Amino acid sequence: MPSLWYNTSMKTLKFKLYHHKRNRYLKRMINASGVIYNHCIALHKRYYRMWGKHLSCAKLQSHIAKLRKCNPFWQTVGSQAVQDICQRIEKAYQLFFKHNKKGVRPPGFKKVKKYKSFTLKQAGYKFLCGNRVKIGSKVYQFWKSREIEGTVKTLTIKRTPLGELFMVIVIEGNKPEAKFTTGKIAGFDFGLRTFLTCSDSTTIESPQFFKQSLNAIKKASRQHSKKLKGSVNREQARKNLVRRYEDISNRRRDWFWKLAHELTDKFDVLCFESLNLKGMHRFWGRKISDLAFGEFLQILEWIAKKKNRQIVFIDQWYPSTKTCSSCGHILESLDLSIRRWRCPSCQSENDRDGNASLNIKRVGSSTLGVGDVRQSQTAISV
Ligand SMILES: [Zn+2]
């Protein structure tokens, strides 16, 4: 394999655009994209009705390009963004052809007001010095929260439900050197009371973000449902409600990032049980989504990749809570309400979550010896 392939990695960066009157041009471009999108969907449906076949992406693209020539509103969107719309629809159809038996639906019409974004590939934008970017013929400014290092592959302008604009860019950059620095490995157990229990016998409590804001959300949602449909007040109340929810997820995400950095600074290898999130959700309800394990793991995996740490997932069916971490004795059953138990075989007293985290660490480290993680063997003392 060419070395280039090894040394590069894709990264996604998100920047908020300065609020400015000029932003209406971008919003108009998003709206035009939505109109074009809907036109494409209509063409697909009509073509299928007439000929009984799928309209190919190339045919659609050339047809839309022709239409665009005599439509000034459509021209507000760059030709690359139009291609991207056609390709996105094609992708959605391919997914539908492949998985329609599993309940995947074909792409359908979308409300233009709710249409979210457009994407440019190589052309149609240019980064100027500082925090300025030229899109189409106009220059916009963004909060440059970090440096853009590497080659920009795509640029997407996104509109949030609040009408704020973000610029999301995918860049190809250099991968940092692989290294293990701490030589430490740890197992973690997710819990409902304690967010994470670590095998080094520390615990991490989760701030209950949703619970903290529950009253504010209830109030905002009551305000919203009281307002007359279609009124300005209702739109304001809707924005207020959306803001409350965004506030929670922002605070939670901040906390996840911090935690993920802390843990990856402390350990080289982090072992977790793979989660059956759907099953857990059915069982526990809202509280699980409040804790958002899945989102945390995504962030952690991303950071681990960047810092060259390793995340190991062990089989979710391994009885991590029922096995004694001292002698390996497996209990027949262990009720959820029991927080501590004494091992009938070796008499050691086990804390439910702490014991599980030790088992997860042990099983996780035993998988390290094989295959793709050979390099870690030498550096890590288990
Ligand atoms: Zn035991």
Side-chain angles (χ1 to χ4, degrees), residues 113-258:
K113 210 174 118 190
K114 285 190 179 167
Y115 202 77
K116 287 195 195 90
S117 65
F118 67 86
T119 295
L120 298 167
K121 281 173 188 155
Q122 292 90 14
Y125 61 89
K126 191 176 177 193
F127 283 93
L128 309 173
C129 59
N131 62 341
R132 298 180 312 142
V133 59
K134 189 172 179 185
I135 299 168
S137 58
K138 297 201 166 48
V139 175
Y140 304 90
Q141 283 183 297
F142 57 95
W143 297 99
K144 200 170 186 182
S145 46
R146 53 198 298 183
E147 284 303 314
I148 302 167
E149 288 159 343
T151 324
V152 178
K153 288 286 166 192
T154 66
L155 180 146
T156 300
I157 296 294
K158 273 197 173 154
R159 167 167 67 185
T160 69
L162 284 181
E164 291 168 326
L165 291 178
F166 285 87
M167 174 178 73
V168 179
I169 56 174
V170 174
I171 53 175
E172 198 176 60
N174 291 328
K175 222 175 175 178
E177 287 277 292
K179 56 177 180 245
F180 284 103
T181 47
T182 66
K184 276 202 226 155
I185 181 165
F188 295 90
D189 184 48
F190 280 117
L192 290 168
R193 283 154 227 257
T194 306
F195 184 69
L196 282 179
T197 305
C198 178
S199 55
D200 71 357
S201 70
T202 55
T203 56
I204 294 146
E205 302 294 334
S206 158
Q208 299 264 302
F209 297 109
F210 192 84
K211 216 169 166 186
Q212 283 166 11
S213 319
L214 192 59
N215 282 332
I217 285 206
K218 275 187 180 158
K219 196 173 154 200
S221 132
R222 226 172 16 241
Q223 293 287 340
H224 176 240
S225 55
K226 261 200 269 176
K227 301 284 187 281
L228 200 66
K229 264 193 185 162
S231 67
V232 178
N233 282 338
R234 190 179 172 98
E235 176 60 11
Q236 248 163 14
R238 183 191 69 86
K239 282 192 174 166
N240 190 32
L241 182 61
V242 173
R243 242 176 246 134
R244 293 284 93 78
Y245 276 109
E246 279 185 0
D247 185 48
I248 295 176
S249 58
N250 287 342
R251 273 188 296 148
R252 187 169 52 202
R253 199 172 313 119
D254 272 354
W255 186 70
F256 283 166
W257 281 99
K258 272 186 209 130

Side-chain angles (χ1 to χ4, degrees), residues 14 17 40 46 75 78 81 205 254 262 303 373:
K14 189 174 171 186
L17 291 183
C40 290
R46 201 184 309 150
Q75 279 165 23
E205 302 294 334
D254 272 354
E262 252 170 57
I303 292 182
V373 285

Side-chain angles (χ1 to χ4, degrees), residues 1 4 15 19 39 46 64 71 77 84 94 107 130 139 145 191-192 203 219 223 243 250 322 324-325 343 377:
M1 218 167 278
L4 196 76
F15 301 96
H19 195 72
H39 196 86
R46 201 184 309 150
I64 292 290
N71 189 331
V77 191
D84 182 71
Q94 292 307 333
V139 175
S145 46
L192 290 168
T203 56
K219 196 173 154 200
Q223 293 287 340
R243 242 176 246 134
N250 287 342
K322 289 190 291 185
C324 170
S325 56
C343 172
Q377 260 182 327

Side-chain angles (χ1 to χ4, degrees), residues 34-99:
V35 171
I36 294 171
Y37 171 91
N38 282 331
H39 196 86
C40 290
I41 296 287
L43 281 173
H44 262 290
K45 289 186 191 291
R46 201 184 309 150
Y47 190 88
Y48 185 78
R49 261 202 314 274
M50 283 173 72
W51 309 103
K53 323 189 265 203
H54 174 61
L55 174 60
S56 80
C57 190
K59 248 187 201 162
L60 177 67
Q61 275 181 353
S62 70
H63 183 71
I64 292 290
K66 251 181 251 156
L67 286 179
R68 190 167 162 269
K69 272 186 196 140
C70 41
N71 189 331
F73 180 53
W74 285 28
Q75 279 165 23
T76 54
V77 191
S79 60
Q80 287 222 326
V82 176
Q83 277 176 23
D84 182 71
I85 294 169
C86 297
Q87 283 160 5
R88 262 195 240 181
I89 293 174
E90 178 65 18
K91 229 189 225 168
Y93 266 108
Q94 292 307 333
L95 213 67
F96 163 65
F97 294 143
K98 215 166 150 193
H99 299 298

Side-chain angles (χ1 to χ4, degrees), residues 324-329 341 343-348 350:
C324 170
S325 56
S326 311
C327 69
H329 179 85
W341 53 282
C343 172
S345 167
C346 72
Q347 300 300 314
S348 60
N350 293 319

